[in-house]
Each structure stands twice: as C-alpha cells, then as structure tokens.
Amino acid sequence: MPGRTAKLLIATVVASLTLCSQALAAPHFDGFFPIPNIDANNAKIAAGPDGNMWLPIAEGEFDVAKIAPDGAVTQYKLGPEIESAKGIAAGPDGRMWVTSINKIGSFDPADPEGSVDVDSVDSITSNSPLVAGPDGQMWAAASDAVVHWSTSAPDKAEAFTVTDLDPKDIDVAGQGLVVADAGNKRIVTITTSGVPTDIPLLEGSTTSQGVAGGANGQIAFSDSDGDEGLGLVTPPAAPTNIVVGKGDPFGVALGSDGAYYFAMAFGEETKGTVRRLTSDGNDTTLSGVPDKYVVRQIAAGPNNTLWVTMEIPGESDVFKVARISGLEPPVKPGDVGGSAPETKLKKGPKKFKTKGKKAKVKFVFSSPNAGAKFECALVKKKRGKKAPKPKFRGCKSPKVYKLKPGAYKFSVRAVLNGVADKSPATRGFKVVRVRVRG
C-alpha cells in the first residue's frame, strides 16, 4: 500500500495532468505554417467540403492553395481566366467558388485543375468577397451591389443595388446576409430578396473590415479605424462596442464554440493576437504569434479549429497561416451555431407517367450550409407491407433514377463534416405506366 508521500505525489501528478489537459483543451495557437504570397488585406481563407482550408494566392502561375489539417500546402492553377482571385467560399454543391475581376469561377476540390468552370459577370468587381447564402445560392459583395447566383447557372447571376457599397467582407446572419462597408461608417444587412438596411457604426468609428453572423441573426463586426473595438449587434437593436480602443481588429469568424474571433492586426497591446468575444460581450485574448507578424484574415475550420493568415509588414514574400485548436465547449464540427445542416428539396415529382417500362425521375436539392454534401435514399413501397428503412448513400444534385412503375419514397439529407440533417427532406411519389393505344 503506498505511503502518505507516495499518495501526495500521485495526487500532484494527477492534478498536474488534469490542468495540462484543461489548458490544452482551451483555444490556443498550435501550429504556424509557411504559405505562398497572398494579398494579406483582402485574400480570404475558407474551409472546403474536403476537410482542408483554401485561399487565393499570387504565387507566379498558381491561383489557389490548399492547406491540409497538418499545415501541408499544395498549389493549383485555375487557368488564365482567373487572375488575382480575392473571394473564396465553399458552395452547397460541394465545389469551391472564387471571384476575380468580372469573373466567377468554381472547381472540384478533389481535382482543382481539371474541373475549372469560369463565367463572365460584369457586376463582379476585383474586391468581391463571397459566401454561400441561406437560400442555397452564392452571394458576392461588389462595388455598389450584391450579386447572387445559382450554382447550376452562374452565368445568370443577378445584382441588387446597394448605393455606395465599398465591401470588405460578407457573411450569413440568420436568414439574411451582412456586409462590412469600409467606406461609409456602416455595416449593411441584406435580405435574400435584395432589401438592404444600414446599421451605422457608433460615433467615432469609421471603418469595418470584417463581419461574422450567428444563427440567431446576431452580428460581430470589427471597428478598425477611429474608436477601434470589437462590435456586436442584433438587429433591430443598435450596435455596441466592446473593448473600445484595443488595437486594429481585422477579419472576424464565428467559431464552433459559438464565440466570435477577431484577428487583431495592430495595436501596442494587441498586435499579433486573436480576441475571443462571446455572444454576451465577454472577451479574452489568445496570444503566441511569432514576433513581427501581423494577423489579418480568419476562418473556422474542421475539428473545432480556426485558421488565421499572417504577414510581416514590409516583407512582401513572408506569409504564414496559424492554426488555433481546442475551441470549447467542444461541439461537432458541422454543428456550428447549435444546429445541424439543413436540406432543401427543390424539385421532384408526385406522380410521373411513362409510356415505357421505366421512367427517368429527377430530384433537385440544396443546403444553405456552405460545404455540405448529400446522402440519398430511395424506398419502394409494397401494398400491405411496412416500408423498409431507408439506406442513405452519398449523392449529388440532381439525382436521377430509372424506375419501374410503383410507389416510392425519396429522402435526401445534407451532411457537413460528418454531421447529418436529423430531418431529411422527403417526397412520396408514384410512377404510372400509360398504355399506348394502337
């Protein structure tokens, strides 16, 4: 039996391990990785549906870079039609989307160079951040307008006018969009029908560089000039500034723990830090960035991580990306903001008539959650028998079946980082054979 000294030693070791475990579980920088040349101010970073991070680069012949969870970087060419891309975001179709001057491009992250699709859109300007909207469409903020398009028809993109808009960032807030306007002392909310509403920054504030929206419509924004600080607002209430005068907040992201994270570019006390702001206004600081580096853009990644772009001002070829891990309380990666991904079934028959032995039946579906993939199931109903349990398998929209006459039930669910929609979209339908009279 261990003596008193041994018991004390064991207790001390256990306590130390517990404290270390708790410290490691809290948000912390746990990796810094070199990346190619980027436009540090404007080039966004975004999570892809493949579990990697993606960002636009300006490295000679290359256009985008993939950052694996371990920090390994792979560069890709998107071709001459996409140059100096700035905006990047995952779409509900499983592709990555980018914007450059008057161009919209997309690619399959599994084969970036072999799957590039580019369309010309005059309303897309050089600094056009973009995001997958709550309506299943892609949205980009441009000069004096926001532009939206279906992932199946980007050439038919439409623009809504927003007078004097000078955008720096765009995100989803609740069931609408929010844009950081760098030139007009405001952020702007926009409905999916194109109705803009100004939210003036507080007196003394002049510029917002970043925005991040929550599922309940709350918005976090950076006040990066004038009376600098971390901003919060839940429309229609007026905005509030938290920690006024604390440095130069730049990019903003919503973490998987439901808190907002601000990249602090400058400031005597805050340079090279990330500030964590809870939805009720409590803030803490994450430090540990290497000396001389300035943090710029930030985005949520898989497995409860955040990724931050960094540069050394004045050194045009020195860039890194930092990984932040341990966001608490831990939640499932696809459960950001407290809700699983949603599924929308846009098109599918209720009754389909065919003259042949089989009918070609098509279903079109989407998800408002960026990067979501899909799983489909089809069950044939038999009279007088209980319908079998659906077996879901990976699929893409549109999903086409060749079916014999009978009664069926189609189900589809969105899946994001291993988390599936708990309420799949379903459609019961019949295939009926029509006799041809001779």
Side-chain angles (χ1 to χ4, degrees):
M1 175 178 270
R4 183 172 183 273
T5 302
K7 289 181 179 180
L8 286 173
L9 179 59
I10 293 171
T12 301
V13 171
V14 171
S16 298
L17 291 173
T18 302
L19 288 173
C20 289
S21 175
Q22 290 173 347
L24 288 174
H28 61 282
F29 288 99
D30 75 340
F32 301 93
F33 313 100
I35 56 174
N37 288 357
I38 60 173
D39 178 349
N41 285 354
N42 297 315
K44 307 298 179 182
I45 183 168
D50 56 346
N52 299 303
M53 302 301 292
W54 292 81
L55 77 163
I57 58 175
E59 184 77 355
E61 60 182 322
F62 297 103
D63 304 298
V64 295
K66 176 181 71 177
I67 306 169
D70 63 358
V73 175
T74 309
Q75 302 179 70
Y76 299 97
K77 297 181 288 185
L78 299 184
E81 291 188 89
I82 293 291
E83 294 183 354
S84 301
K86 296 294 190 299
I88 189 166
D93 56 348
R95 293 171 69 86
M96 294 301 295
W97 289 79
V98 295
T99 53
S100 65
I101 301 176
N102 304 134
K103 301 287 185 180
I104 295 172
S106 69
F107 60 88
D108 183 344
D111 181 24
E113 295 184 348
S115 61
V116 181
D117 187 21
V118 181
D119 289 278
S120 297
V121 178
D122 291 341
S123 54
I124 294 289
T125 53
S126 59
N127 184 25
S128 294
L130 72 160
V131 70
D135 57 349
Q137 297 205 13
M138 299 302 295
W139 288 78
S143 296
D144 304 323
V146 290
V147 186
H148 66 110
W149 64 91
S150 167
T151 56
S152 61
D155 57 319
K156 297 180 180 179
E158 297 180 339
F160 293 126
T161 298
V162 182
T163 305
D164 296 329
L165 186 65
D166 179 15
K168 283 294 184 180
D169 198 10
I170 186 171
D171 200 17
V172 173
Q175 295 303 306
L177 293 303
V178 59
V179 179
D181 188 336
N184 295 285
K185 300 182 181 180
R186 64 178 179 173
I187 57 176
V188 183
T189 61
I190 301 162
T191 68
T192 54
S193 58
V195 179
T197 301
D198 288 2
I199 300 178
L201 302 182
L202 294 180
E203 186 175 352
S205 303
T206 60
T207 300
S208 180
Q209 294 280 358
V211 288
N216 65 346
Q218 187 179 51
I219 301 163
F221 60 95
S222 58
D223 272 356
S224 55
D225 287 310
D227 291 338
E228 297 171 337
L230 319 181
L232 281 178
V233 60
T234 303
T240 57
N241 261 11
I242 313 296
V243 199
V244 175
K246 290 290 185 180
D248 184 11
F250 215 80
V252 189
L254 176 65
S256 61
D257 57 353
Y260 303 100
Y261 289 79
F262 293 73
M264 307 299 290
F266 293 101
E268 185 175 340
E269 299 178 6
T270 59
K271 178 182 176 182
T273 65
V274 168
R275 295 190 78 93
R276 178 182 186 271
L277 181 67
T278 62
S279 59
D280 57 359
N282 293 315
D283 79 287
T284 51
T285 299
L286 282 66
S287 57
V289 171
D291 190 36
K292 297 183 180 180
Y293 276 90
V294 169
V295 293
R296 290 292 191 182
Q297 299 294 345
I298 186 168
N303 301 320
N304 300 324
T305 60
L306 292 160
W307 293 77
V308 190
T309 61
M310 306 158 47
E311 65 166 336
I312 297 180
E315 298 188 27
S316 60
D317 60 348
V318 181
F319 300 94
K320 287 187 177 183
V321 64
R323 182 181 61 219
I324 297 173
S325 297
L327 277 63
E328 287 190 321
V331 297
K332 295 179 180 179
D335 203 16
V336 175
S339 60
E342 298 179 10
T343 314
K344 294 185 177 181
L345 181 55
K346 293 185 174 182
K347 184 178 180 181
K350 291 184 178 180
K351 188 174 184 179
F352 196 93
K353 296 180 180 180
T354 179
K355 297 179 181 178
K357 294 182 179 180
K358 290 186 177 181
K360 186 181 289 187
V361 183
K362 181 170 70 173
F363 296 89
V364 178
F365 42 87
S366 67
S367 172
N369 301 90
K373 295 184 178 181
F374 299 93
E375 293 178 344
C376 297
L378 183 71
V379 171
K380 187 174 183 180
K381 301 177 182 178
K382 294 183 179 180
R383 187 177 298 177
K385 293 185 178 182
K386 185 179 180 180
K389 186 177 180 180
K391 296 181 179 180
F392 286 91
R393 294 182 176 86
C395 61
K396 292 184 178 181
S397 180
K399 177 64 178 177
V400 178
Y401 294 96
K402 290 184 178 180
L403 302 173
K404 295 180 180 179
Y408 298 86
K409 181 180 179 181
F410 172 78
S411 302
V412 59
R413 64 188 183 189
V415 181
L416 184 61
N417 292 327
V419 180
D421 186 348
K422 298 176 183 178
S423 302
T426 62
R427 175 69 56 83
F429 66 98
K430 291 182 178 180
V431 176
V432 179
R433 187 174 182 182
V434 180
R435 294 185 179 181
V436 180
R437 295 180 179 178

